Amino acid sequence: MQTNQAHGELPSQGSHFWHMSFLANNQLGLTAQDRSGHWTPPPGTTRFDAMNEIRRQVVEASPYLAESAMLSFDIQPNQL
């Protein structure tokens, strides 16, 4: 179901919800970081492909996570 933002409704979202958590080292020491969002993968995308592409996008937005350890990744259909 898509919604209409012009009428004060929420914008449409991607077909899948994802979440990643990281263990990063910064000036304060080790920190837990998490990122989440929604995404519509191209047809034929595997979970492994999705993990690598989403991590690439996360690191592009937060370069300090490039050397972090990914602790978890999950992707699920974005419908209840």
Side-chain angles (χ1 to χ4, degrees), residues 1-13 38:
M1 179 174 108
Q2 292 188 352
T3 57
N4 187 337
Q5 197 169 12
H7 292 98
E9 298 175 19
L10 296 174
S12 62
Q13 298 180 4
H38 53 88

Side-chain angles (χ1 to χ4, degrees), residues 17-20 34-38 58:
F17 167 81
W18 59 268
H19 179 267
M20 285 183 168
D34 66 273
R35 300 291 187 273
S36 61
H38 53 88
V58 166

Side-chain angles (χ1 to χ4, degrees), residues 31-48:
T31 61
Q33 304 275 324
D34 66 273
R35 300 291 187 273
S36 61
H38 53 88
W39 182 55
T40 300
T45 301
T46 64
R47 291 175 64 87
F48 184 75

